[in-house]
Amino acid sequence: MWLLRDGEVLAAAEMANSLVSRNKGLLGRSGYEGAFLIPHTSGALHSFGMRFSLDVAFLDRDLAVVDTVHLRPWHMTRPRRRCRTVLEAQSGAFERWRLRPGDRLELHDTR
């Protein structure tokens, strides 16, 4: 799957489609190239046990960016109003992608 903004591919994307993948997230990985999406969430998440810092975007039902934060290992975020999906990426990705609140994202299946 690809993550796009205005037709521009930002990154390869992976969706957490099961309870196990939602709970595990990016834990156990030493880094991550791409975008990891966790649907059906209010945005409350943690980085306990993470080996690297994250860029986190809170997306509404239309995949518009509501807010972004930098999340260091062993920290938590609070829920965000209107958040329906969380986008996680390795720290620095959002700067490279120039991702900002208000951006509307798209997902395209590679199948």
Side-chain angles (χ1 to χ4, degrees):
M1 174 177 319
W2 297 106
L3 178 70
L4 293 90
R5 178 191 55 223
D6 296 328
E8 174 190 4
V9 175
L10 300 178
E14 181 180 347
M15 182 79 71
N17 289 323
S18 70
L19 184 58
V20 171
S21 64
R22 288 170 57 86
N23 288 334
K24 184 176 180 189
L26 298 176
L27 286 172
R29 302 181 195 200
S30 58
Y32 187 73
E33 292 296 320
F36 188 80
L37 292 120
I38 305 169
H40 313 295
T41 183
S42 65
L45 61 118
H46 69 83
S47 61
F48 302 142
M50 289 295 298
R51 297 179 184 169
F52 56 94
S53 295
L54 297 172
D55 286 340
V56 177
F58 305 93
L59 311 177
D60 68 12
R61 72 181 74 227
D62 297 319
L63 298 182
V65 178
V66 174
D67 194 13
T68 62
V69 297
H70 178 78
L71 186 62
R72 296 186 323 261
W74 298 97
H75 286 80
M76 295 176 62
T77 64
R78 58 179 170 72
R80 296 297 198 278
R81 194 167 156 238
R82 298 184 9 238
C83 179
R84 298 294 181 268
T85 300
V86 167
L87 167 63
E88 297 178 343
Q90 188 163 336
S91 181
F94 290 3
E95 187 174 327
R96 286 191 310 278
W97 303 342
R98 297 178 315 276
L99 190 72
R100 304 282 183 263
D103 287 352
R104 182 145 185 224
L105 305 177
E106 303 171 49
L107 293 171
H108 285 269
D109 203 340
T110 56
R111 291 184 262 164

